[in-house]
């Protein structure tokens, strides 16, 4: 596939008890009281905090982090959404949102720079499942005394909510995380309410191209695009596929989408013209009716707060009469 920079970016597409005094005997534990204190500390973002990350590994953060390294753009967007603007000191090479991340130190991409991360002296590193190919590097960071929390690869809205909640927990921003989740749920509910007016006969059959010619990778089931299409009452012509898959020209023609959505417009010059000019697609309904649209890549791919924005943009492209301003 020719858009290597885009594909790399897309793939990145994440209590302790004090010791008792020797002079006085330890009091009998009050289980109910301890539970209440633990719940109160958790509700106030109290530290230390222990979480089980995507490796099924317990990670303890002793104090609220003042310096954070984020190893993937989605983690960064969530962190900024929680108000951790000053705490983020290191980001991946692919981070581009919000604009103020551009002046942060870069730590590499899928092949991250261990020495650079350690030199930034973070209190916690927010890693991701996609960093697992450099497990040795993560272990080196941990050996330097820096906690590493590996965030799961979220593929559904609910998993994104879980990710936001975990990042809020390890950074002492649980109330902010709850608010971000509520705002997202409210945003999706508003979109769903509008989509409820789309009749069964008006539902469109859609193909989401995430790579571009000559090798067309499309969004299938268990992707954000599938959940977005379900929400806005559109049918994914590739919903019998799992994840992101390569479809041949013959398969695309056979599935004959009414609408084609392209998610890589920032990386390719005039992607709609490429589809229109490709002779093999000349009889596809979306090409015949010129129902091809470009949507922004990051809001529909990154597992963070902007998924609502991405869903809205997708809805406006597919059903302009319903969702257009």
């Amino acid at each position: 596939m020719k858009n290597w920079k885009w594909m790399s970016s897309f793939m990145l597409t994440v209590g302790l008890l004090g010791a008792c005094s020797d002079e006085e005997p330890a009091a009998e534990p009050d289980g109910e009281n301890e539970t209440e204190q633990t719940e109160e500390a958790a509700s106030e973002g109290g530290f230390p905090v222990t979480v089980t990350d995507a490796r099924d590994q317990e990670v303890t953060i002793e104090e609220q982090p003042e310096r954070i390294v984020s190893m993937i753009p989605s983690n960064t967007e969530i962190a900024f959404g929680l108000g951790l603007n000053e705490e983020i000191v290191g980001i991946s090479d692919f981070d581009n949102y919000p604009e103020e991340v551009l002046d942060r130190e870069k730590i590499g991409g899928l092949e991250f720079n261990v020495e650079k991360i350690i030199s930034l002296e973070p209190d916690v590193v927010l890693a991701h499942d996609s960093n697992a190919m450099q497990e040795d590097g993560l272990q080196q960071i941990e050996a330097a005394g820096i906690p590493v929390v590996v965030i799961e690869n979220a593929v559904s809205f609910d998993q994104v909510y879980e990710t936001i909640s975990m990042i809020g927990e390890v950074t002492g921003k649980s109330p902010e995380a709850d608010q971000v989740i509520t705002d997202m749920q409210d945003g999706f509910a508003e979109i769903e309410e509008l989509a409820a007016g789309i009749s069964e006969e008006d539902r469109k059959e859609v193909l989401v191209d995430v790579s571009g010619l000559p090798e067309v990778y499309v969004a299938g089931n268990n992707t954000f695009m599938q959940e977005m299409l379900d929400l806005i009452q559109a049918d994914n012509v590739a919903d019998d596929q799992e994840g992101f898959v390569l479809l041949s020209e013959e398969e695309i023609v056979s599935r004959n989408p009414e609408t084609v959505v392209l998610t890589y417009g920032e990386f390719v010059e005039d992607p709609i013209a490429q589809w229109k000019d490709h002779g093999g697609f000349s009889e596809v309904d979306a090409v015949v009716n010129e129902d091809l649209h470009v949507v922004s890549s990051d809001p529909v791919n990154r597992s963070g707060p902007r998924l609502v924005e991405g869903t809205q943009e997708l809805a406006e492209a597919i059903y302009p009469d319903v969702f257009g301003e």
Side-chain angles (χ1 to χ4, degrees):
M1 198 161 61
K2 60 183 180 300
N3 302 319
W4 297 111
K5 181 178 179 182
W6 174 84
M7 180 51 72
S8 295
S9 177
F10 176 72
M11 288 173 64
L12 284 171
T13 256
V14 89
L16 301 177
L17 297 175
C20 297
S21 167
D22 290 334
E23 297 180 1
E24 296 182 7
E28 289 293 322
D30 182 345
E32 182 178 350
N33 187 48
E34 284 184 16
T35 300
E36 291 176 355
Q37 289 176 345
T38 301
E39 291 176 350
E40 181 180 356
S43 68
E44 295 175 356
F47 285 81
V49 164
T50 300
V51 297
T52 301
D53 71 2
R55 300 169 294 182
D56 200 28
Q57 180 172 310
E58 286 193 352
V59 182
T60 297
I61 316 298
E62 297 291 347
E63 298 179 347
Q64 183 164 0
E66 296 181 356
R67 297 176 63 83
I68 300 169
V69 166
S70 172
M71 298 180 67
I72 192 170
S74 55
N75 288 351
T76 305
E77 292 196 18
I78 291 171
F80 271 82
L82 301 183
L84 295 164
N85 306 39
E86 300 299 325
E87 288 84 351
I88 298 294
V89 296
I91 60 172
S92 83
D93 291 349
F94 301 107
D95 280 75
N96 56 10
Y97 185 90
E99 186 175 351
E100 58 194 289
V101 305
L102 301 178
D103 62 2
R104 301 302 197 272
E105 295 284 345
K106 299 294 181 66
I107 56 89
L110 293 175
E111 296 185 1
F112 51 87
N113 187 325
V114 173
E115 291 76 16
K116 180 66 174 180
I117 293 172
I118 293 174
S119 74
L120 293 173
E121 300 182 341
D123 300 311
V124 67
V125 170
L126 299 177
H128 185 262
D129 270 341
S130 60
N131 303 125
M133 65 180 65
Q134 265 195 281
E135 179 62 29
D136 289 346
L138 297 180
Q139 291 176 355
Q140 291 177 50
I141 295 169
E142 290 174 319
I146 300 168
V148 175
V149 179
V150 178
I151 303 298
E152 72 171 342
N153 181 38
V155 296
S156 70
F157 295 161
D158 284 343
Q159 289 177 341
V160 173
Y161 301 151
E162 292 170 4
T163 293
I164 294 170
S165 182
M166 175 174 284
I167 292 177
E169 187 174 2
V170 302
T171 60
K173 295 286 186 177
S174 288
E176 290 83 352
D178 291 343
Q179 186 60 56
V180 169
I181 293 169
T182 297
D183 290 344
M184 290 182 68
Q185 292 171 331
D186 290 346
F188 287 132
E190 290 178 8
I191 294 171
E192 187 174 27
E193 185 177 358
L194 277 177
I198 298 170
S199 65
E200 187 66 29
E201 56 267 26
D202 289 334
R203 289 176 68 103
K204 287 192 175 182
E205 296 186 344
V206 181
L207 179 141
V208 181
D209 175 4
V210 301
S211 67
L213 293 159
E215 296 180 326
V216 178
Y217 282 79
V218 304
N221 202 14
N222 288 324
T223 63
F224 292 130
M225 269 70 91
Q226 180 66 59
E227 195 161 2
M228 292 173 178
L229 292 173
D230 289 341
L231 188 73
I232 65 173
Q233 303 295 319
D235 296 319
N236 183 1
V237 299
D239 65 0
D240 61 330
Q241 305 294 311
E242 287 294 312
F244 297 95
V245 296
L246 174 66
L247 287 188
S248 68
E249 179 179 302
E250 292 75 16
E251 287 177 298
I252 292 171
V253 172
S254 175
R255 292 169 189 266
N256 194 26
E258 296 175 73
T259 301
V260 169
V261 175
L262 315 175
T263 69
Y264 50 89
E266 300 99 320
F267 308 95
V268 176
E269 183 177 354
D270 203 351
I272 290 179
Q274 290 184 3
W275 262 76
K276 287 182 177 180
D277 296 341
H278 185 69
F281 295 156
S282 61
E283 295 184 4
V284 172
D285 283 350
V287 174
V288 171
N289 298 320
E290 297 189 353
D291 198 352
L292 301 104
H293 309 274
V294 174
V295 299
S296 304
S297 173
D298 295 340
V300 296
N301 288 319
R302 288 185 182 169
S303 51
R306 286 199 293 163
L307 284 173
V308 176
E309 175 186 323
T311 305
Q312 179 67 31
E313 187 175 353
L314 193 70
E316 291 174 2
I318 297 171
Y319 295 118
D321 293 341
V322 177
F323 293 95
E325 296 180 354

